[in-house]
Each structure stands twice: as C-alpha cells, then as structure tokens.
C-alpha cells in the first residue's frame, strides 16, 4: 500500500488545480435536417482570459457577437495550442471565461444567475471545459 500512496501523491501533485480543456471553432449552418451531416467543430488556437465572475449587467453591448472590451481585468490568461488544448493553474473560485477574437472577446454561455460563461475551480481539482467559439455559426 505504500507504493500505491506514493503513486497517488505524485499524480495529485501533477494535476494541480485550475482549468483545462479545448477550444473549438464552430461555423456554418448548424440547423439539423434529414440526411444532413453537420461538420465537426475544428480545434483552434486562441488566447483564453479568466476574469472574476461577471454578470450580464456588467457587460458592454455586443458587436457582431463579440464584446469590445472586458469590464474587469483578467486574473490570468493562457493560449491554447494549435490542437485547441490548454491548461492553467488558478486559485479556487468562480471565473468568467472569454476567448480573444480579432475584433473583441467571445463568451456565449450564461447560468441561471446571469453569470457570463462561469467556471468553478475547486481545491486540488482540474475543471475540464470545451469552449465552442460559434459566433459565425447559424442555429
């Protein structure tokens, strides 16, 4: 059992705490239909920003599906790789997640409290998310 405990300790040390996941680009007509195959989302490289959790009432007006600015300074940021993968260590808490696009910042999910794209980081845990960048898609 000593070997098992050592393996667990080294694994938890490697995982840390924060957020990991994938950024994917979704585009085109996403309306379902008979005999219609939807193209798969493509992994994409993006800068990802984590701000203190924001509510819709704090956000500037969107322009073409993007926010021109962020109303709070990011706590941290990370770039995803060309295959969309990213991982970042963050303190425990709840954050709003945005990607940086050419003409603004993107987030399109909200919870029941009107919080913008919230993700919760808990102690000694890596929260896994997929960020679907879909402002060019039609649903």
């Amino acid at each position: 059992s000593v070997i098992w405990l050592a393996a667990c300790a080294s694994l938890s040390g490697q995982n840390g705490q924060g957020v990991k996941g994938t950024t994917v680009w979704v585009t085109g007509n996403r309306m379902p239909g008979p005999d219609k195959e939807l193209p798969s989302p493509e992994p994409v490289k993006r800068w990802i920003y984590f701000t203190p959790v924001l509510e819709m009432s704090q956000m500037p007006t969107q322009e073409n599906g993007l926010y021109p600015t962020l109303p709070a300074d990011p706590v941290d940021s990370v770039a995803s790789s060309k295959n969309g993968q990213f991982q970042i260590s963050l303190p425990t808490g709840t954050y709003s997640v945005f990607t940086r696009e050419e003409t603004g910042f993107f987030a399109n999910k909200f919870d029941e409290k009107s919080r913008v794209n919230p993700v919760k980081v808990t102690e000694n845990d890596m929260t896994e998310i997929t960020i679907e960048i879909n402002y060019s898609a039609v649903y």
Side-chain angles (χ1 to χ4, degrees):
S1 69
V2 172
I3 293 171
W4 183 80
L5 290 173
C8 287
S10 72
L11 284 176
S12 67
Q14 287 174 347
N15 290 339
Q17 99 187 9
V19 180
K20 68 178 179 178
T22 309
T23 51
V24 294
W25 177 250
V26 180
T27 189
N29 184 346
R30 310 299 293 180
M31 295 291 286
D35 301 323
K36 181 177 178 189
E37 262 191 57
L38 296 177
S40 296
E42 294 287 326
V44 67
K45 184 175 185 169
R46 287 292 189 276
W47 273 98
I48 306 153
Y49 293 85
F50 296 84
T51 67
V53 69
L54 297 167
E55 293 183 11
M56 280 300 301
S57 61
Q58 297 173 275
M59 298 304 297
T61 302
Q62 282 189 336
E63 299 170 13
N64 300 317
L66 300 174
Y67 297 105
T69 60
L70 294 177
D73 290 334
V75 172
D76 210 343
S77 61
V78 64
S80 59
S81 65
K82 66 181 178 187
N83 63 357
Q85 301 295 304
F86 69 90
Q87 181 169 322
I88 187 169
S89 295
L90 291 165
T92 58
T94 303
Y95 302 89
S96 287
V97 183
F98 299 88
T99 61
R100 178 77 174 109
E101 303 300 309
E102 281 186 28
T103 59
F105 296 89
F106 175 75
N108 71 335
K109 292 184 179 176
F110 311 93
D111 69 6
E112 68 284 351
K113 297 176 184 172
S114 292
R115 297 183 301 179
V116 181
N117 205 12
V119 63
K120 186 174 183 177
V121 174
T122 55
E123 192 172 344
N124 299 320
D125 192 32
M126 272 293 174
T127 303
E128 193 157 350
I129 63 173
T130 298
I131 302 171
E132 286 193 3
I133 306 164
N134 63 3
Y135 60 92
S136 288
V138 177
Y139 290 90

